Amino acid sequence: MNPGSWLQNYPHFLEILYLATGRLLSFFDPLVSRLGYDRVDRWLRPAEELSKRVIFDCRMCGQCVLHSTGMTCPMTCPKNLRNGPCGGVRTNGHCEVIPEMKCIWVMAFERSKQMPAFGSEMMDLQPPVNRQLEGSSAWINMLADKDSQLPAGWEEASPRRFIKIEEIEAWKPSLSQTAA
Amino acid sequence: METEFKSDGRLERVLRSGRFAVTAELNPPDSANPQEVYDAALVLSSVCDAINATDASGANCHMSSVAICALLTRAGYAPILQVSCRDRNRIAIQGDVLGAAAMGVCNVLCLTGDDISVGDQPQAKRVFDFDSIQLLRTIKIMRDEGMFLSGRKLTAPPRLLLGAASNPFVPPYDWRPLRLAKKVEAGADFVQTQYCYDVPRLRQFLKQVCDMGLDERVYILIGVGPLRSEKAAEYLRTRVPGVVIPDKIVDRLRKTPKHKKREEGKRICVEIIQQVQEIKCVSGVHLMAYRQEELVAEIIEEAGLLPRPMQPLARDSDPRARPSKRRRANRDGDQ
Ligand code: SF4
């Protein structure tokens, strides 16, 4: 068990932390780009790996989607699913592949319900993983725009086009919280 | 839904006509003899609208789904190619889909795939380069935009009806309808569910699905199948991932005398089909009769689903295929 995993019980705190990290990174972006993304990648990678591994059991896929997956690392799913749970989840909510582990998507969905800012991003379609980015720093890839190069036809792919996210029971409580 | 046909297949035409569709799963042979595929298809073909060719389901090695589909189209049957993400990466899958379409396959079912650990070769390497939603979207882009995932153009896009799987019977229950919404957005035209033995749970799921208006965007086929005995039921629900069978049904089989168990299993299946037929947004059933193919015809007959709409199998003689052909002619003319 990773020592920081208890933090995952506070998904709302983590999404704020995510926002803050994002702001901090973009603040330093001009500096980083002057130093060269590749060079900073080498410095930053250990720090990112350590912090994210301790909390999320991060696998360094290099294209972080944590905020869209209930602050739960999708690469810890034995099938590496990035769009939600497979049909093999056991009736007790445990994983098909590792019976003693809780399905990470069952946890992700529960956590997303406590995330007013990003919870409903669970509905967005996650494109195939770019395996070339594996092992590199997702933070730098974000700044260098490497993680957002979608294959054609993947832009804006979300059922939001035809369903009203505000009306979905699961995220209603946390969404109304922000409205209040 | 648009009026233009997406495929040249019979399943799409049956679904669009509003008739209750029937599909059935073919048990793939462990053999290199094509006759075994033809024999299995023969008992299914006259009672269903399309035949599912499974892709090493349960992670057990069998004849490949692409090969089964090739044999089936050669013999004039209408197969549904099942593609799972477990064994092949994106390059192999896109190539297979093109090849299958070239051989006359009109339907593809996109699956995540059962894990390797439940199969007969748990030592194998897991691939899972795609997940089922990424797979669906990729094939949809191949069909609608005429290009590979890389953006490279296809000279002739595949004409396919895209299917997805859904399992309303496992947690997280309130996520399942949302996952279906994602699959519809990704490109699913029809869905086939996991074995249904719990109709109340199914109703609850479908209610949420209809509330989101998904029933107007996707055809829903409910998975059903006969249980041979309580032992078979026990095996299915403990060893096959994602199958849930309520104790009530297992008990009913247990209480049945030995020589009547088969009959009782069949009756349960027919009853479920009849209950499911009553539900408004259900477009059909998908029969999975593992090692009991001979029961499929009886079940479909007893459920009152015969005769199946008989249509000319060869697509050129199908009058309803014309709109799409004209469309292609126009497009060719434009260039
Ligand atoms: S049960 Fe959950 S964690 Fe296990 S393979 Fe399926 S989606 Fe992944």
Side-chain angles (χ1 to χ4, degrees):
Chain A
M1 207 61 211
N2 33 327
S5 66
W6 59 273
L7 257 176
Q8 285 187 294
N9 298 331
Y10 303 93
H12 183 45
F13 169 72
L14 287 175
E15 69 177 347
I16 293 171
L17 197 65
Y18 167 83
L19 273 171
T21 317
R23 295 249 168 86
L24 195 71
L25 285 170
S26 25
F27 177 78
F28 283 109
D29 187 28
L31 180 68
V32 176
S33 86
R34 199 144 1 111
L35 289 169
Y37 290 118
D38 288 341
R39 183 155 15 143
V40 184
D41 182 300
R42 248 171 291 135
W43 302 338
L44 207 57
R45 205 185 302 162
E48 177 178 345
E49 184 160 1
L50 184 72
S51 59
K52 291 213 287 199
R53 189 151 287 180
V54 166
I55 305 175
F56 304 106
D57 193 15
C58 162
R59 306 290 161 94
M60 294 301 279
C61 70
Q63 46 219 294
C64 196
V65 287
L66 274 170
H67 63 293
S68 307
T69 54
M71 297 316 266
T72 306
C73 174
M75 302 319 266
T76 56
C77 162
K79 294 186 185 175
N80 282 187
L81 306 182
R82 279 168 86 96
N83 278 295
C86 68
V89 184
R90 292 161 197 263
T91 36
N92 62 0
H94 282 223
C95 172
E96 168 194 331
V97 183
I98 308 173
E100 54 284 357
M101 177 179 98
K102 210 159 180 205
C103 167
I104 65 113
W105 281 104
V106 170
M107 297 191 284
F109 186 45
E110 284 313 313
R111 287 169 187 154
S112 78
K113 293 177 186 170
Q114 303 164 46
M115 291 169 51
F118 296 109
S120 62
E121 284 199 11
M122 289 272 288
M123 290 305 283
D124 298 344
L125 265 53
Q126 298 297 338
V129 180
N130 178 355
R131 312 275 168 187
Q132 284 178 309
L133 297 181
E134 262 168 18
S136 60
S137 160
W139 291 343
I140 295 299
N141 292 336
M142 184 184 81
L143 295 182
D145 260 344
K146 277 193 209 159
D147 64 343
S148 55
Q149 288 164 5
L150 291 173
W154 281 90
E155 306 83 10
E156 310 274 305
S158 168
R160 287 170 202 270
R161 287 192 308 112
F162 55 84
I163 57 179
K164 293 201 186 71
I165 298 285
E166 336 51 278
E167 282 175 14
I168 294 177
E169 235 14 87
W171 296 299
K172 244 186 204 163
S174 72
L175 285 177
S176 59
Q177 233 172 37
T178 37
Chain B
M1 285 177 205
E2 314 89 301
T3 43
E4 262 177 29
F5 287 109
K6 294 173 176 169
S7 74
D8 298 317
R10 159 163 135 185
L11 179 65
E12 185 179 10
R13 280 146 187 89
V14 173
L15 287 170
R16 286 211 187 187
S17 71
R19 269 170 296 185
F20 201 75
V22 178
T23 58
E25 186 172 287
L26 181 140
N27 300 321
D30 296 334
S31 155
N33 180 359
Q35 195 55 43
E36 294 189 30
V37 174
Y38 297 138
D39 290 346
L42 192 64
V43 291
L44 302 177
S45 67
S46 57
V47 294
C48 71
D49 306 310
I51 300 172
N52 280 56
T54 58
D55 186 6
S57 68
N60 289 306
C61 205
H62 302 291
M63 185 190 284
S64 81
S65 57
V66 177
I68 292 174
C69 283
L71 293 172
L72 291 180
T73 53
R74 200 191 279 176
Y77 298 124
I80 299 175
L81 173 76
Q82 296 197 358
V83 180
S84 108
C85 300
R86 180 194 52 230
D87 309 319
R88 271 160 301 155
N89 71 6
R90 59 191 82 182
I91 299 175
I93 289 178
Q94 291 170 78
D96 276 352
V97 166
L98 275 189
M103 291 182 300
V105 173
C106 302
N107 317 289
V108 177
L109 182 73
C110 302
L111 306 165
T112 304
D114 299 324
D115 187 63
I116 279 164
S117 52
V118 297
D120 67 339
Q121 302 184 27
Q123 305 83 356
K125 179 170 166 47
R126 297 186 175 89
V127 178
F128 296 112
D129 188 21
F130 275 156
D131 66 27
S132 56
I133 286 177
Q134 296 160 349
L135 171 61
L136 265 169
R137 186 88 182 169
T138 302
I139 304 182
K140 179 188 160 71
I141 293 170
M142 286 170 75
R143 179 190 70 193
D144 296 345
E145 316 294 332
M147 57 187 181
F148 288 118
L149 189 64
S150 62
R152 198 151 50 79
K153 281 260 170 288
L154 304 170
T155 47
R159 289 182 41 83
L160 297 165
L161 195 68
L162 296 183
S166 174
N167 190 356
F169 310 105
V170 293
Y173 300 111
D174 45 348
W175 166 256
R176 295 293 161 185
L178 302 176
R179 178 152 168 89
L180 183 59
K182 285 186 87 165
K183 290 193 171 182
V184 170
E185 167 65 9
D189 301 307
F190 70 95
V191 346
Q192 294 178 317
T193 74
Q194 181 57 277
Y195 281 111
C196 168
Y197 292 105
D198 185 350
V199 181
R201 163 75 63 203
L202 178 74
R203 282 212 188 90
Q204 214 176 327
F205 166 79
L206 289 176
K207 185 177 174 297
Q208 284 166 283
V209 165
C210 294
D211 286 348
M212 283 190 281
L214 293 181
D215 52 326
E216 313 213 328
R217 297 176 172 271
V218 69
Y219 297 104
I220 301 169
L221 285 80
I222 307 301
V224 291
L227 296 164
R228 201 175 320 144
S229 64
E230 72 274 13
K231 278 202 209 86
E234 213 52 72
Y235 177 86
L236 261 184
R237 68 176 179 174
T238 51
R239 302 288 293 281
V240 180
V243 181
V244 179
I245 307 177
D247 294 336
K248 213 170 65 198
I249 292 200
V250 183
D251 285 341
R252 189 169 150 188
L253 281 167
R254 190 171 295 131
K255 289 195 193 108
T256 314
K258 194 147 191 253
H259 62 284
K260 286 199 186 133
K261 281 193 203 292
R262 233 175 134 77
E263 198 55 35
E264 188 68 9
K266 197 173 82 182
R267 194 165 314 133
I268 293 172
C269 184
V270 172
E271 281 168 21
I272 291 173
I273 295 180
Q274 284 165 342
Q275 287 170 31
V276 157
Q277 258 184 295
E278 302 283 300
I279 306 174
K280 194 177 90 267
C281 59
V282 171
S283 303
V285 284
H286 172 52
L287 256 142
M288 296 171 279
Y290 184 63
R291 294 226 192 103
Q292 302 192 87
E293 299 89 338
E294 67 293 349
L295 286 186
V296 171
E298 292 174 37
I299 291 169
I300 294 172
E301 177 164 22
E302 281 171 38
L305 294 171
L306 286 185
R308 298 309 310 148
M310 264 309 157
Q311 301 192 12
L313 288 176
R315 46 180 155 157
D316 286 344
S317 55
D318 183 346
R320 267 170 293 199
R322 241 179 254 144
S324 55
K325 283 180 88 183
R326 212 178 300 134
R327 188 179 61 126
R328 270 185 297 169
N330 282 347
R331 207 199 282 147
D332 293 343
D334 287 346
Q335 283 162 0

